Amino acid sequence: MADAVAGRDKCGEPRLVSLPLSRIRVIMKSSPEVSSINQEALVLTAKATELFVQYLATYSYRHGSGKERKALTYSDLSNTAEESETFQFLAGVSSASTCLCCRQRAPPPLGPRCSRESTPQKALDQRS
């Protein structure tokens, strides 16, 4: 496992994970059943999360319209959650997620993701 280097830390040392462990710890501690978190469990959870996100993105890119555009979009991820049996547990979560570019709640899957996409402001105001 030491051979799998995901990045470098501030000192230039190799890192096994690229997600911030402090954020993962906060998310894990948000569960009332968790009182303390072992450092090894924290690193393994971070690595498992990275691998899951990588697999989801790769699967969505290959099975979505991303290949033609050479880009992965929110709709590719949302369609994967709806159509793939493997990712079915994400179906309800994906449509209610937050747009990362403007921190607004995403509209229903058929509409554009946020106001930065080519949607007139009037249409956005009518949705609210």
Side-chain angles (χ1 to χ4, degrees), residues 25-37:
R25 182 184 308 275
V26 168
I27 293 169
M28 290 174 74
K29 283 202 154 203
S30 69
S31 172
E33 296 138 9
V34 176
S35 58
S36 65
I37 301 165

Side-chain angles (χ1 to χ4, degrees), residues 42-118:
L42 181 63
V43 171
L44 288 174
T45 301
K47 190 63 179 176
T49 303
E50 285 180 20
L51 292 173
F52 171 75
V53 169
Q54 181 181 19
Y55 180 69
L56 173 63
T58 303
Y59 185 94
S60 298
Y61 181 81
R62 287 185 182 154
H63 293 87
S65 58
K67 278 185 159 179
E68 294 91 41
R69 294 187 312 264
K70 294 187 179 182
L72 180 65
T73 63
Y74 174 83
S75 62
D76 293 331
L77 294 168
S78 182
N79 290 339
T80 296
E82 296 292 329
E83 296 168 4
S84 170
E85 193 173 318
T86 304
F87 299 107
Q88 194 68 43
F89 71 98
L90 293 173
V93 177
S94 64
S95 63
S97 64
T98 302
C99 174
L100 296 177
C101 64
C102 64
R103 303 286 186 215
Q104 294 177 353
R105 286 189 69 76
L110 296 177
R113 232 175 62 183
C114 71
S115 58
R116 293 189 184 182
E117 293 182 9
S118 59

